[in-house]
Amino acid sequence: MFQLAQKACQLLKRKAHVYRLCPTAEQARTLTQWIGCTRLAYNLALEQRKTFFRPGRSFNIASQSRDITALRADFDWIRSAPAQPLHQAIRDLDRAYQNWWSGRAKAPTPRKRGVHDSMRFTDSETLSFCRLSRHVGKVKIPKLGWVRLRWDKRIPGTVKNITISHKAGQWFVSAQYEYEAHEPANSNLPSVGIDRGVALFAALSDGRVIEAANPGRKAQKALARAQRRLSRKKKGSKNRAKQRLRVAKIHARIARCRKDFLHKLSHDIASNYGLVALEKLEVRNMTRSAKGTKTKPGKRVRQKAGMNRSILDQGWGMFGDMLAYKLADRGGTLVKVPAHHTSQTCSACGAVDVASRVSQSKFCCTSCGHEANADINAAINILRRADSPLLPVEAVGCHADEAGTIQRAA
């Protein structure tokens, strides 16, 4: 009976880990050709759906997979590529159409070289990883053999599929694996509210502040210099291709620095707190351009563009996603609360007044005189809203809502 209960608590989970591939020059050429064939299969299937569709005739995964098989029989250079990535490209296209029809994404567009350079292998029987030394390993790829990689972590489960990608001149392999995990017990760690910002990345309700990493701002001069040089290169020339690669490498380094900072921070918070409260921010709306239209041009466009760049440099959305799954693995909870007036509400008396926010870092309540760091004050309000969600705040008038916040007329 105990064994049955123990098995019931076990969950099958899937995760992925990314390794840096180190192929030889010949292996890199082969992988590049295979990715080109995969991109061709996707684009041909997309064109087929667009051009030859008519009422009574539809395309699906089975019919287009048969067309790919016939295409491989007619052309040797396509037949040299493995069949798995080609058929997976058809599945990717079908999923893109399903997302479009359900309103989750825009209409599928053709894949471009240098943008969508990836392919996926799904036959787990033909995939294998092996460690050679402390920092060196290898992966077995169908029809190619063993390819060396940078080893930094073992795979604690069964490999289900791998995705090989080429970004900014570097090769990567992402291994998705399946493992058994016990259902975590509810965490008894303390709760915390987090206020995200730009000057400071985050302020915690317990008084801790976290400085922003700003990887994009630190690389801004180097990126601007590289982009200026790119603009002077002749289109279609080899020098322009080389400079494009330099620009792409700078962008890739910025992304890696941002992800490293967010992973370390989210791991630290998930390990020390059981409930984390964040504001529910619509980052896409917050970072929209202020250009406006010809008839109604926007105001302070350059200032808004700089603010948008700073917000996107923080990676707020990625931070929330990382916190969510890391807390779930440890039995914790992530709660997102309404963001209205958290920075204008006094954490001591609950009065809401715009004038209380004296500056970016200082909060002084106009009602009770309470002084505090503005970000920490907001983090305390966020945590309270997680304990007792707020009702929609009224624009005018005075009321006491569920969390005890008093709304005053400005």
Side-chain angles (χ1 to χ4, degrees), residues 311-327:
I311 292 174
L312 294 174
D313 196 21
Q314 306 307 316
W316 289 346
M318 189 184 300
F319 176 66
D321 294 339
M322 291 179 179
L323 265 181
Y325 80 81
K326 291 179 181 180
L327 283 167

Side-chain angles (χ1 to χ4, degrees), residues 294-312:
K294 288 184 177 180
T295 57
K296 294 182 178 180
K299 298 179 180 179
R300 305 184 68 180
V301 178
R302 291 181 62 86
Q303 292 90 330
K304 184 64 167 62
M307 175 59 69
N308 294 349
R309 194 181 304 114
S310 299
I311 292 174
L312 294 174

Side-chain angles (χ1 to χ4, degrees), residues 251-269:
H251 280 295
R253 185 170 67 248
I254 293 171
R256 288 196 301 269
C257 291
R258 181 183 297 114
K259 189 174 290 186
D260 178 74
F261 169 75
L262 296 177
H263 266 301
K264 291 177 178 177
L265 177 59
S266 59
H267 175 81
D268 176 55
I269 292 175

Side-chain angles (χ1 to χ4, degrees), residues 3 20 43 110 113 132 147 196 240-241 254 260 323 355 375:
Q3 292 179 350
R20 168 82 179 275
N43 291 341
R113 184 178 62 180
L132 301 177
V147 181
R196 291 166 289 181
R240 182 177 176 85
I254 293 171
D260 178 74
L323 265 181
D375 296 324

Side-chain angles (χ1 to χ4, degrees), residues 7-126:
K7 288 183 178 179
C9 293
Q10 289 181 346
L11 304 173
L12 283 178
K13 291 188 177 182
R14 285 198 178 191
K15 284 187 177 182
H17 187 70
V18 181
Y19 297 95
R20 168 82 179 275
L21 268 183
C22 304
T24 63
E26 184 178 354
Q27 289 174 335
R29 284 193 296 269
T30 302
L31 292 173
T32 302
Q33 181 183 356
W34 291 358
I35 286 179
C37 293
T38 304
R39 184 170 56 249
L40 174 68
Y42 183 94
N43 291 341
L44 285 177
L46 176 60
E47 187 66 23
Q48 186 184 47
R49 292 199 180 201
K50 286 182 175 180
T51 306
F52 298 101
F53 172 79
R54 61 177 181 269
R57 181 182 181 183
S58 61
F59 299 96
N60 53 38
I61 296 176
S63 65
Q64 293 194 305
S65 294
R66 288 193 296 268
D67 293 339
I68 290 296
T69 302
L71 194 67
R72 295 181 75 245
D74 294 337
F75 296 93
D76 294 337
W77 59 278
I78 298 180
R79 187 166 59 249
S80 64
Q84 293 179 46
L86 304 182
H87 292 296
Q88 289 301 312
I90 304 300
R91 291 184 176 274
D92 292 343
L93 177 63
D94 188 75
R95 188 182 301 111
Y97 267 97
Q98 297 295 334
N99 292 336
W100 176 37
W101 292 334
S102 62
R104 293 191 297 268
K106 296 182 179 180
T109 56
R111 288 183 173 178
K112 298 180 180 180
R113 184 178 62 180
V115 180
H116 305 96
D117 291 349
S118 64
M119 58 181 174
R120 185 167 66 254
F121 294 87
T122 57
D123 188 1
S124 58
E125 299 296 330
T126 61

